[in-house]
Coordinates of all heavy atoms in Angstrom, one line a residue:
M1 N 0.8 -1.2 0.0 CA 0.0 0.0 0.0 C 0.9 1.3 0.0 O 1.8 1.4 0.8 CB -0.9 0.0 1.2 CG -1.8 1.2 1.4 SD -2.9 1.1 2.8 CE -4.0 -0.2 2.3
N2 N 0.5 2.2 -0.8 CA 1.3 3.4 -0.9 C 0.5 4.6 -0.4 O -0.6 4.8 -0.9 CB 1.6 3.7 -2.4 CG 2.4 5.0 -2.6 OD1 2.9 5.5 -1.6 ND2 2.5 5.5 -3.8
T3 N 0.9 5.1 0.8 CA 0.2 6.1 1.4 C 1.1 7.1 2.1 O 2.2 6.8 2.5 CB -0.8 5.6 2.5 OG1 -1.6 6.6 3.0 CG2 -0.1 4.9 3.6
Q4 N 0.6 8.4 2.1 CA 1.4 9.5 2.7 C 1.2 9.5 4.2 O 2.1 10.1 4.9 CB 1.0 10.8 2.0 CG 1.5 11.0 0.6 CD 0.8 12.2 0.0 OE1 -0.3 12.1 -0.5 NE2 1.5 13.3 0.1
V5 N 0.1 9.2 4.7 CA -0.2 9.4 6.1 C -0.9 8.2 6.7 O -1.8 7.6 6.2 CB -1.2 10.6 6.3 CG1 -1.5 10.9 7.7 CG2 -0.7 11.9 5.6
A6 N -0.4 7.8 7.9 CA -1.0 6.7 8.7 C -1.7 7.4 9.9 O -1.0 8.1 10.7 CB 0.0 5.7 9.1
I7 N -2.9 7.1 10.1 CA -3.6 7.6 11.3 C -3.9 6.5 12.3 O -4.4 5.4 11.8 CB -5.0 8.3 10.8 CG1 -4.7 9.5 9.9 CG2 -5.8 8.7 12.0 CD1 -5.9 10.0 9.2
I8 N -3.6 6.6 13.5 CA -3.8 5.6 14.5 C -5.1 5.9 15.2 O -5.2 6.8 15.9 CB -2.6 5.5 15.5 CG1 -1.3 5.5 14.9 CG2 -2.8 4.3 16.4 CD1 -1.0 4.4 14.0
G9 N -6.1 5.0 15.0 CA -7.3 5.1 15.7 C -8.5 5.6 14.9 O -8.4 6.7 14.2
A10 N -9.5 4.8 14.8 CA -10.8 5.2 14.1 C -11.8 5.8 15.0 O -13.0 5.5 14.9 CB -11.3 4.1 13.3
G11 N -11.4 6.6 15.9 CA -12.4 7.4 16.7 C -12.8 8.6 15.9 O -12.4 8.8 14.7
P12 N -13.6 9.5 16.5 CA -14.0 10.7 15.8 C -12.9 11.5 15.2 O -12.9 12.0 14.1 CB -14.8 11.5 16.8 CG -15.3 10.5 17.8 CD -14.2 9.4 17.8
S13 N -11.8 11.7 15.9 CA -10.7 12.5 15.5 C -10.0 11.9 14.3 O -9.7 12.5 13.3 CB -9.5 12.6 16.6 OG -10.1 13.1 17.8
G14 N -9.7 10.5 14.4 CA -9.1 9.9 13.3 C -9.9 9.8 12.0 O -9.4 10.1 10.9
L15 N -11.2 9.6 12.2 CA -12.1 9.5 11.0 C -12.2 10.8 10.4 O -12.2 10.9 9.1 CB -13.4 8.9 11.5 CG -13.4 7.4 11.8 CD1 -14.8 7.0 12.3 CD2 -12.9 6.5 10.7
L16 N -12.4 11.9 11.1 CA -12.6 13.2 10.6 C -11.3 13.7 9.9 O -11.3 14.3 8.8 CB -13.1 14.2 11.7 CG -13.4 15.6 11.2 CD1 -14.5 15.5 10.1 CD2 -14.0 16.4 12.3
L17 N -10.2 13.4 10.6 CA -8.9 13.7 10.0 C -8.8 13.1 8.6 O -8.3 13.7 7.6 CB -7.7 13.4 10.9 CG -6.4 13.7 10.3 CD1 -6.1 15.2 10.0 CD2 -5.2 13.3 11.3
G18 N -9.1 11.8 8.6 CA -9.0 11.0 7.3 C -9.8 11.6 6.3 O -9.4 11.8 5.1
Q19 N -11.1 12.1 6.6 CA -12.0 12.7 5.7 C -11.4 14.0 5.2 O -11.4 14.4 4.0 CB -13.4 12.9 6.3 CG -14.4 13.5 5.4 CD -14.8 12.6 4.3 OE1 -14.7 11.4 4.4 NE2 -15.1 13.1 3.1
L20 N -10.9 14.9 6.1 CA -10.4 16.1 5.7 C -9.2 16.0 4.8 O -9.1 16.7 3.8 CB -10.0 17.0 6.9 CG -11.2 17.4 7.8 CD1 -10.6 18.0 9.1 CD2 -12.0 18.4 7.1
L21 N -8.3 15.0 5.0 CA -7.2 14.8 4.2 C -7.6 14.3 2.9 O -7.1 14.7 1.8 CB -6.1 13.9 4.9 CG -5.5 14.4 6.1 CD1 -4.6 13.4 6.8 CD2 -4.6 15.6 5.8
H22 N -8.5 13.3 2.9 CA -9.1 12.9 1.6 C -9.7 14.0 0.8 O -9.4 14.1 -0.5 CB -10.3 11.8 1.9 CG -11.0 11.4 0.7 ND1 -10.5 10.4 -0.2 CD2 -12.2 11.8 0.3 CE1 -11.4 10.3 -1.1 NE2 -12.5 11.0 -0.9
N23 N -10.4 14.9 1.4 CA -11.0 16.0 0.7 C -9.9 17.0 0.0 O -10.1 17.6 -1.0 CB -11.8 16.9 1.6 CG -13.1 16.2 2.0 OD1 -13.4 15.1 1.5 ND2 -13.8 16.8 3.0
A24 N -8.7 16.9 0.7 CA -7.6 17.7 0.2 C -6.7 16.9 -0.8 O -5.6 17.4 -1.2 CB -6.7 18.2 1.4
G25 N -7.2 15.7 -1.1 CA -6.4 14.9 -2.1 C -5.3 14.2 -1.5 O -4.3 13.7 -2.3
I26 N -5.2 14.0 -0.2 CA -4.2 13.3 0.5 C -4.5 11.9 0.9 O -5.5 11.7 1.6 CB -3.6 14.1 1.7 CG1 -3.1 15.5 1.2 CG2 -2.5 13.3 2.5 CD1 -2.8 16.5 2.4
K27 N -3.8 10.9 0.5 CA -4.1 9.5 0.7 C -3.8 9.2 2.2 O -2.7 9.6 2.7 CB -3.4 8.6 -0.1 CG -3.9 8.4 -1.5 CD -3.1 7.3 -2.2 CE -3.5 7.3 -3.7 NZ -2.6 6.4 -4.5
T28 N -4.7 8.5 2.9 CA -4.3 8.0 4.3 C -4.7 6.6 4.4 O -5.5 6.0 3.7 CB -5.2 8.8 5.3 OG1 -6.6 8.5 5.1 CG2 -5.0 10.3 5.2
V29 N -4.2 6.0 5.5 CA -4.7 4.7 5.9 C -5.0 4.9 7.4 O -4.2 5.6 8.2 CB -3.7 3.5 5.8 CG1 -2.4 3.8 6.4 CG2 -4.3 2.2 6.1
I30 N -6.1 4.4 7.9 CA -6.5 4.5 9.3 C -6.3 3.1 10.0 O -7.0 2.1 9.4 CB -8.0 5.1 9.5 CG1 -8.1 6.4 8.8 CG2 -8.3 5.1 11.0 CD1 -9.5 7.0 8.9
L31 N -5.6 3.0 11.0 CA -5.3 1.8 11.7 C -6.1 1.7 13.0 O -5.9 2.7 13.8 CB -3.8 1.5 12.0 CG -2.9 1.7 10.7 CD1 -1.4 1.7 11.2 CD2 -3.2 0.5 9.8
E32 N -6.9 0.7 13.1 CA -7.8 0.7 14.4 C -7.6 -0.8 15.0 O -7.6 -1.7 14.3 CB -9.2 0.9 14.0 CG -10.3 0.6 15.1 CD -10.1 1.4 16.4 OE1 -9.9 2.6 16.2 OE2 -9.9 0.8 17.4
R33 N -7.4 -0.8 16.3 CA -7.1 -2.1 17.0 C -8.4 -2.8 17.4 O -8.4 -4.0 17.6 CB -6.3 -1.8 18.3 CG -7.0 -1.1 19.4 CD -6.0 -1.0 20.5 NE -6.5 0.0 21.5 CZ -5.8 0.5 22.5 NH1 -4.6 0.1 22.7 NH2 -6.3 1.4 23.3
Q34 N -9.6 -2.1 17.4 CA -10.9 -2.8 17.7 C -11.5 -3.2 16.5 O -11.1 -2.8 15.3 CB -11.8 -1.8 18.5 CG -11.2 -1.3 19.7 CD -11.2 -2.3 20.9 OE1 -11.7 -3.4 20.8 NE2 -10.7 -1.8 22.0
T35 N -12.6 -4.1 16.6 CA -13.3 -4.6 15.4 C -14.2 -3.4 14.9 O -14.6 -2.5 15.6 CB -14.2 -5.7 15.8 OG1 -15.2 -5.3 16.8 CG2 -13.4 -6.9 16.4
P36 N -14.6 -3.5 13.6 CA -15.6 -2.5 13.1 C -17.0 -2.5 13.9 O -17.5 -1.4 14.2 CB -15.9 -3.1 11.7 CG -14.7 -3.8 11.3 CD -14.2 -4.4 12.6
E37 N -17.4 -3.7 14.4 CA -18.6 -3.8 15.2 C -18.5 -3.0 16.5 O -19.3 -2.2 17.0 CB -18.9 -5.2 15.6 CG -19.3 -6.2 14.4 CD -18.1 -6.5 13.5 OE1 -17.0 -6.6 14.0 OE2 -18.3 -6.6 12.3
Y38 N -17.3 -3.2 17.1 CA -17.0 -2.4 18.4 C -17.1 -0.9 18.1 O -17.7 -0.1 18.8 CB -15.7 -2.8 19.0 CG -15.4 -2.1 20.3 CD1 -15.8 -2.5 21.5 CD2 -14.7 -0.9 20.2 CE1 -15.5 -1.9 22.7 CE2 -14.4 -0.2 21.3 CZ -14.8 -0.7 22.5 OH -14.5 0.0 23.7
V39 N -16.4 -0.5 17.1 CA -16.3 1.0 16.8 C -17.6 1.5 16.5 O -18.0 2.6 17.0 CB -15.2 1.2 15.7 CG1 -15.3 2.7 15.2 CG2 -13.8 0.8 16.1
L40 N -18.4 0.9 15.6 CA -19.7 1.4 15.2 C -20.8 1.4 16.3 O -21.7 2.2 16.3 CB -20.2 0.6 14.0 CG -19.4 0.8 12.7 CD1 -19.9 -0.1 11.6 CD2 -19.6 2.3 12.2
G41 N -20.6 0.4 17.3 CA -21.6 0.2 18.3 C -21.3 1.0 19.6 O -22.3 1.2 20.3
R42 N -20.2 1.6 19.8 CA -20.0 2.3 21.0 C -20.5 3.7 20.9 O -20.6 4.3 19.9 CB -18.4 2.3 21.4 CG -17.6 3.2 20.5 CD -16.2 3.1 20.7 NE -15.6 3.6 19.5 CZ -14.3 3.7 19.3 NH1 -13.4 3.2 20.2 NH2 -13.8 4.2 18.2
I43 N -20.8 4.2 22.1 CA -21.4 5.5 22.2 C -20.3 6.6 22.3 O -19.4 6.4 23.1 CB -22.3 5.7 23.4 CG1 -23.6 4.9 23.2 CG2 -22.7 7.2 23.6 CD1 -24.5 4.8 24.4
R44 N -20.3 7.5 21.3 CA -19.2 8.5 21.3 C -19.7 9.9 21.5 O -18.9 10.7 22.0 CB -18.4 8.4 19.9 CG -17.3 7.4 20.0 CD -16.5 7.7 21.2 NE -15.2 7.0 21.4 CZ -15.0 6.3 22.5 NH1 -15.9 6.3 23.5 NH2 -13.8 5.8 22.7
A45 N -20.9 10.2 21.1 CA -21.4 11.6 21.3 C -22.9 11.7 21.2 O -23.5 11.1 20.2 CB -20.8 12.6 20.4
G46 N -23.6 12.3 22.1 CA -25.0 12.5 22.0 C -25.2 14.0 21.7 O -26.2 14.4 21.0
I47 N -24.3 14.9 22.1 CA -24.5 16.3 21.8 C -23.2 16.8 21.1 O -22.1 16.5 21.5 CB -24.6 17.0 23.2 CG1 -25.9 16.6 23.9 CG2 -24.5 18.6 23.0 CD1 -26.1 17.2 25.2
L48 N -23.4 17.5 20.0 CA -22.3 18.1 19.2 C -22.4 19.6 19.4 O -23.5 20.2 19.2 CB -22.5 17.7 17.8 CG -22.4 16.2 17.5 CD1 -22.5 15.9 16.1 CD2 -21.1 15.6 18.0
E49 N -21.2 20.2 19.6 CA -21.2 21.6 19.8 C -21.2 22.2 18.4 O -20.9 21.7 17.4 CB -19.9 22.0 20.5 CG -20.0 21.7 22.0 CD -18.9 22.0 22.8 OE1 -18.1 23.0 22.5 OE2 -18.6 21.3 23.8
N50 N -21.5 23.5 18.3 CA -21.7 24.3 17.1 C -20.4 24.1 16.2 O -20.6 23.9 15.0 CB -21.8 25.8 17.5 CG -22.4 26.6 16.3 OD1 -23.5 26.4 15.9 ND2 -21.5 27.4 15.7
G51 N -19.2 24.3 16.7 CA -18.0 24.2 15.9 C -17.8 22.8 15.3 O -17.4 22.7 14.2
T52 N -18.2 21.8 16.1 CA -18.1 20.4 15.5 C -19.1 20.2 14.4 O -18.8 19.7 13.3 CB -18.4 19.4 16.7 OG1 -17.5 19.7 17.7 CG2 -18.2 18.0 16.1
V53 N -20.3 20.7 14.6 CA -21.4 20.6 13.5 C -20.9 21.3 12.2 O -21.0 20.8 11.2 CB -22.7 21.3 14.1 CG1 -23.7 21.5 13.0 CG2 -23.3 20.4 15.2
E54 N -20.3 22.5 12.4 CA -19.9 23.2 11.2 C -18.7 22.5 10.5 O -18.7 22.4 9.3 CB -19.4 24.7 11.6 CG -20.7 25.6 11.8 CD -20.3 26.9 12.2 OE1 -19.2 27.3 12.3 OE2 -21.3 27.7 12.6
L55 N -17.9 21.9 11.3 CA -16.8 21.2 10.7 C -17.2 19.9 10.0 O -16.7 19.7 8.9 CB -15.7 20.9 11.8 CG -14.4 20.2 11.3 CD1 -13.7 21.1 10.4 CD2 -13.5 19.8 12.5
L56 N -18.2 19.3 10.5 CA -18.7 18.0 9.8 C -19.3 18.4 8.5 O -19.2 17.7 7.5 CB -19.7 17.3 10.8 CG -19.1 16.6 12.0 CD1 -20.3 16.2 12.9 CD2 -18.3 15.4 11.6
R57 N -20.0 19.6 8.5 CA -20.7 20.1 7.2 C -19.6 20.4 6.2 O -19.7 20.0 5.1 CB -21.6 21.3 7.5 CG -22.8 20.9 8.2 CD -23.9 22.0 8.2 NE -25.1 21.6 8.9 CZ -25.6 22.3 9.9 NH1 -25.1 23.5 10.4 NH2 -26.7 21.8 10.5
E58 N -18.6 21.1 6.8 CA -17.5 21.6 5.9 C -16.8 20.4 5.2 O -16.4 20.4 4.0 CB -16.5 22.3 6.7 CG -15.8 23.5 6.1 CD -14.9 24.1 7.2 OE1 -15.5 24.8 8.1 OE2 -13.7 23.9 7.0
A59 N -16.7 19.3 6.0 CA -16.0 18.0 5.6 C -16.9 17.2 4.6 O -16.5 16.2 4.1 CB -15.5 17.3 6.7
G60 N -18.2 17.6 4.5 CA -19.1 16.9 3.7 C -19.6 15.6 4.2 O -20.0 14.7 3.5
V61 N -19.6 15.5 5.6 CA -20.1 14.2 6.2 C -21.3 14.5 7.2 O -21.3 13.9 8.2 CB -18.9 13.5 6.9 CG1 -18.0 13.0 5.9 CG2 -18.2 14.4 8.0
S62 N -22.2 15.5 6.8 CA -23.2 15.8 7.8 C -24.6 15.3 7.5 O -25.5 15.7 8.1 CB -23.2 17.4 7.9 OG -23.7 17.9 6.7
R63 N -24.7 14.5 6.4 CA -26.0 14.1 5.9 C -26.9 13.5 7.0 O -28.0 14.0 7.3 CB -25.9 13.1 4.8 CG -27.2 12.9 4.0 CD -27.0 12.1 2.8 NE -26.3 10.8 3.3 CZ -26.2 9.7 2.5 NH1 -26.6 9.8 1.3 NH2 -25.6 8.7 3.0
R64 N -26.4 12.6 7.8 CA -27.2 11.9 8.8 C -27.6 12.9 9.9 O -28.6 13.0 10.4 CB -26.6 10.6 9.3 CG -27.5 9.9 10.2 CD -27.0 8.5 10.5 NE -27.8 8.0 11.6 CZ -27.3 7.2 12.5 NH1 -26.1 6.8 12.5 NH2 -28.1 6.8 13.5
M65 N -26.5 13.6 10.3 CA -26.7 14.6 11.4 C -27.7 15.6 11.0 O -28.6 15.9 11.8 CB -25.3 15.3 11.7 CG -25.4 16.4 12.7 SD -23.9 17.3 12.8 CE -23.9 18.2 11.2
D66 N -27.7 16.2 9.8 CA -28.6 17.2 9.4 C -30.1 16.6 9.2 O -31.0 17.3 9.6 CB -28.2 17.8 8.0 CG -27.0 18.7 8.2 OD1 -26.9 19.3 9.3 OD2 -26.2 18.8 7.3
A67 N -30.1 15.3 8.9 CA -31.5 14.7 8.7 C -32.1 14.3 10.1 O -33.3 14.4 10.2 CB -31.3 13.4 7.9
E68 N -31.3 13.8 11.0 CA -31.8 13.2 12.2 C -31.6 14.0 13.5 O -32.2 13.7 14.5 CB -31.3 11.8 12.4 CG -31.7 10.9 11.3 CD -31.1 9.5 11.5 OE1 -30.7 9.1 12.6 OE2 -30.9 8.8 10.4
G69 N -30.6 15.0 13.4 CA -30.2 15.6 14.6 C -31.3 16.5 15.2 O -32.1 17.2 14.4
L70 N -31.4 16.6 16.5 CA -32.3 17.6 17.1 C -31.5 18.8 17.5 O -30.5 18.8 18.1 CB -32.9 16.9 18.4 CG -33.7 15.6 18.2 CD1 -34.1 15.0 19.6 CD2 -34.8 15.8 17.3
I71 N -32.1 20.0 17.2 CA -31.4 21.2 17.4 C -31.8 21.8 18.7 O -32.9 21.9 19.1 CB -31.7 22.2 16.3 CG1 -31.2 21.6 14.9 CG2 -31.1 23.6 16.6 CD1 -31.7 22.4 13.8
H72 N -30.7 22.1 19.5 CA -30.9 22.8 20.8 C -30.7 24.3 20.7 O -29.5 24.7 20.2 CB -30.0 22.2 21.8 CG -30.2 20.9 22.2 ND1 -30.8 20.4 23.4 CD2 -30.0 19.7 21.5 CE1 -30.9 19.1 23.3 NE2 -30.4 18.6 22.2
H73 N -31.7 25.1 21.1 CA -31.4 26.5 21.1 C -31.1 27.1 22.5 O -30.8 28.3 22.6 CB -32.7 27.2 20.6 CG -32.9 27.0 19.1 ND1 -32.2 27.6 18.1 CD2 -33.8 26.2 18.5 CE1 -32.6 27.2 16.9 NE2 -33.6 26.3 17.1
G74 N -31.2 26.2 23.4 CA -30.8 26.6 24.7 C -30.9 25.5 25.7 O -31.1 24.4 25.3
V75 N -30.5 25.8 26.9 CA -30.6 24.8 28.0 C -31.3 25.3 29.3 O -31.4 26.6 29.3 CB -29.2 24.2 28.4 CG1 -28.5 23.4 27.3 CG2 -28.3 25.4 28.9
E76 N -31.6 24.5 30.2 CA -32.2 24.9 31.4 C -31.4 24.4 32.6 O -31.1 23.2 32.6 CB -33.7 24.5 31.6 CG -34.6 25.4 30.9 CD -36.1 24.8 31.3 OE1 -36.3 23.7 31.7 OE2 -37.0 25.7 31.1
F77 N -31.1 25.3 33.5 CA -30.5 24.7 34.8 C -31.6 24.6 35.8 O -32.4 25.7 35.9 CB -29.4 25.7 35.4 CG -28.2 25.7 34.5 CD1 -27.8 26.8 33.7 CD2 -27.4 24.6 34.4 CE1 -26.7 26.8 32.8 CE2 -26.2 24.5 33.6 CZ -25.8 25.6 32.8
L78 N -31.6 23.5 36.5 CA -32.6 23.4 37.6 C -31.9 23.6 38.9 O -30.9 22.9 39.3 CB -33.3 22.1 37.6 CG -34.0 21.7 36.3 CD1 -34.6 20.3 36.3 CD2 -35.0 22.7 35.9
F79 N -32.3 24.6 39.7 CA -31.6 25.0 40.9 C -32.5 25.6 41.9 O -33.2 26.5 41.7 CB -30.5 26.0 40.6 CG -29.6 26.4 41.7 CD1 -28.7 25.6 42.3 CD2 -29.7 27.7 42.3 CE1 -27.9 25.9 43.3 CE2 -29.0 28.0 43.4 CZ -28.0 27.2 43.9
A80 N -32.4 25.0 43.2 CA -33.3 25.4 44.3 C -34.7 25.6 43.8 O -35.4 26.6 44.1 CB -32.8 26.7 44.8
N81 N -35.3 24.5 43.2 CA -36.7 24.5 42.7 C -37.0 25.6 41.7 O -38.1 25.9 41.5 CB -37.7 24.6 43.9 CG -37.6 23.3 44.7 OD1 -37.5 22.2 44.2 ND2 -37.8 23.4 46.0
Q82 N -36.0 26.0 41.0 CA -36.2 27.1 40.0 C -35.7 26.6 38.7 O -34.6 25.9 38.6 CB -35.5 28.3 40.4 CG -36.3 29.3 41.1 CD -35.5 30.7 41.2 OE1 -34.3 30.7 41.5 NE2 -36.2 31.7 40.8
R83 N -36.4 26.9 37.6 CA -35.9 26.6 36.2 C -35.2 27.9 35.7 O -35.8 29.0 35.7 CB -37.0 26.3 35.3 CG -37.5 24.9 35.5 CD -38.7 24.6 34.6 NE -39.3 23.3 34.8 CZ -38.8 22.2 34.2 NH1 -37.8 22.3 33.2 NH2 -39.2 21.0 34.4
I84 N -34.0 27.8 35.4 CA -33.2 29.0 34.9 C -32.9 28.7 33.4 O -32.0 27.9 33.1 CB -32.0 29.2 35.7 CG1 -32.3 29.3 37.2 CG2 -31.2 30.5 35.3 CD1 -31.2 29.2 38.2
P85 N -33.6 29.4 32.5 CA -33.3 29.2 31.1 C -32.1 29.8 30.7 O -31.8 31.0 31.1 CB -34.6 29.7 30.4 CG -35.2 30.6 31.3 CD -34.7 30.2 32.7
V86 N -31.3 29.2 29.8 CA -30.1 29.9 29.2 C -30.3 29.8 27.6 O -30.1 28.8 27.0 CB -28.8 29.2 29.5 CG1 -27.6 29.9 29.0 CG2 -28.6 29.0 31.1
P87 N -30.8 30.9 27.0 CA -31.1 31.0 25.6 C -29.8 31.1 24.8 O -29.5 32.2 24.4 CB -32.0 32.2 25.5 CG -31.7 33.1 26.6 CD -31.0 32.3 27.7
L88 N -29.3 30.0 24.5 CA -27.9 30.0 23.9 C -27.9 30.7 22.5 O -27.1 31.4 22.2 CB -27.4 28.5 23.6 CG -27.1 27.8 25.0 CD1 -26.7 26.3 24.7 CD2 -26.0 28.4 25.8
S89 N -28.9 30.4 21.7 CA -29.0 31.0 20.3 C -29.1 32.5 20.5 O -28.4 33.2 19.8 CB -30.2 30.5 19.5 OG -30.0 29.1 19.3
E90 N -29.9 32.9 21.4 CA -30.1 34.4 21.6 C -28.8 35.1 22.0 O -28.5 36.2 21.6 CB -31.1 34.6 22.7 CG -32.2 35.5 22.4 CD -33.2 35.5 23.6 OE1 -34.0 34.6 23.6 OE2 -33.1 36.4 24.4
L91 N -28.1 34.3 22.9 CA -26.9 34.9 23.5 C -25.6 34.9 22.6 O -24.6 35.5 22.9 CB -26.5 34.2 24.8 CG -27.6 34.4 25.9 CD1 -27.2 33.4 27.0 CD2 -27.6 35.8 26.4
T92 N -25.7 34.1 21.5 CA -24.6 33.8 20.7 C -24.8 34.2 19.3 O -24.0 33.8 18.3 CB -24.1 32.4 20.7 OG1 -25.2 31.5 20.2 CG2 -23.7 31.9 22.1
G93 N -25.8 35.1 19.0 CA -26.0 35.5 17.6 C -26.5 34.4 16.7 O -26.2 34.3 15.6
G94 N -27.3 33.4 17.2 CA -27.9 32.4 16.4 C -27.2 31.1 16.5 O -27.7 30.1 15.8
K95 N -26.1 30.9 17.2 CA -25.5 29.6 17.3 C -26.4 28.5 18.0 O -27.2 28.9 18.8 CB -24.1 29.6 18.0 CG -23.1 30.3 17.1 CD -21.8 30.4 17.7 CE -20.8 31.2 16.8 NZ -19.5 31.4 17.5
R96 N -26.2 27.3 17.6 CA -27.1 26.2 18.2 C -26.3 25.1 18.7 O -25.1 24.9 18.3 CB -28.0 25.8 17.0 CG -28.8 26.9 16.5 CD -29.6 26.5 15.3 NE -28.8 26.0 14.2 CZ -29.3 25.5 13.1 NH1 -30.6 25.4 12.9 NH2 -28.6 25.0 12.2
Ligands
FAD1 C1 -20.3 7.7 26.9 C2 -19.6 8.9 26.2 C3 -20.5 9.9 25.8 C4 -19.9 11.1 25.2 N1 -20.6 12.1 24.8 C5 -20.2 13.1 24.1 C6 -21.0 14.2 23.6 O1 -22.2 14.2 23.8 N2 -20.4 15.2 22.9 C7 -19.1 15.2 22.6 O2 -18.6 16.1 21.9 N3 -18.3 14.3 23.1 C8 -18.7 13.2 23.9 N4 -17.9 12.3 24.4 C9 -16.5 12.4 24.2 C10 -16.1 11.9 22.8 O3 -16.6 10.6 22.6 C11 -14.5 12.0 22.7 O4 -14.1 13.3 22.8 C12 -14.1 11.4 21.4 O5 -14.5 10.0 21.3 C13 -12.6 11.5 21.2 O6 -12.3 11.1 20.0 P1 -10.8 10.5 19.6 O7 -10.9 10.0 18.2 O8 -9.8 11.5 20.0 O9 -10.6 9.3 20.7 P2 -11.4 7.9 20.7 O10 -12.8 8.1 20.5 O11 -11.0 7.3 22.1 O12 -10.7 7.0 19.6 C14 -9.5 6.6 19.7 C15 -9.4 5.3 18.9 O13 -8.1 4.8 18.7 C16 -8.0 3.5 18.9 N5 -6.7 3.1 19.3 C17 -6.1 3.5 20.4 N6 -4.8 3.2 20.5 C18 -4.6 2.4 19.4 C19 -3.5 1.7 18.8 N7 -2.3 1.7 19.4 N8 -3.6 1.2 17.6 C20 -4.8 1.2 16.9 N9 -5.8 1.8 17.4 C21 -5.8 2.4 18.6 C22 -9.1 3.2 19.9 O14 -9.5 1.8 19.9 C23 -10.1 4.1 19.5 O15 -11.1 3.5 18.5 C24 -18.5 11.1 25.0 C25 -17.7 10.0 25.4 C26 -18.3 9.0 26.0 C27 -17.3 7.8 26.5

C-alpha cells in the first residue's frame, strides 16, 4: 500500500482527519485495533457543539446529522426548585 499518512485510531478524531485529508487529495490509511462492530456500536457523542457541527458540514459528512439531529437553542439549569433558562442561540447570535 502506498500512502502518505497513517492515522492511528478510528475514533471521531481519526475518522474526521482522514476525511479532511481525503478532501484535500491526500491519501491516508486508518489503523484501528478494535473490530468494526465495536467501533460502530460504542457511544461516542450525544451532543455536538456548534463548531463540531460546522466542521462536519465543511467536511461533507453531515447528511445523517442534518437529517436526524435535534437542534438545541438553549438549556435549562434546575436549581433550588427554579428553572433557569439559558437561551444559547439568543446569546450567541444564532448559534445552536
Ligand atoms: C459515553 C460517552 C459519551 C460522550 N458524549 C459526548 C458528547 O455528547 N459530545 C461530545 O462532543 N463528546 C462526547 N464524548 C467524548 C467523545 O466521545 C470523545 O471526545 C471522542 O471520542 C474523542 O475522539 P478521539 O478520536 O480523539 O478518541 P477515541 O474516540 O478514544 O478514539 C481513539 C481510537 O483509537 C483506537 N486506538 C487507540 N490506540 C490504538 C493503537 N495503538 N492502535 C490502533 N488503534 C488504537 C481506539 O480503539 C479508538 O477507537 C463522549 C464520550 C463517552 C465515552
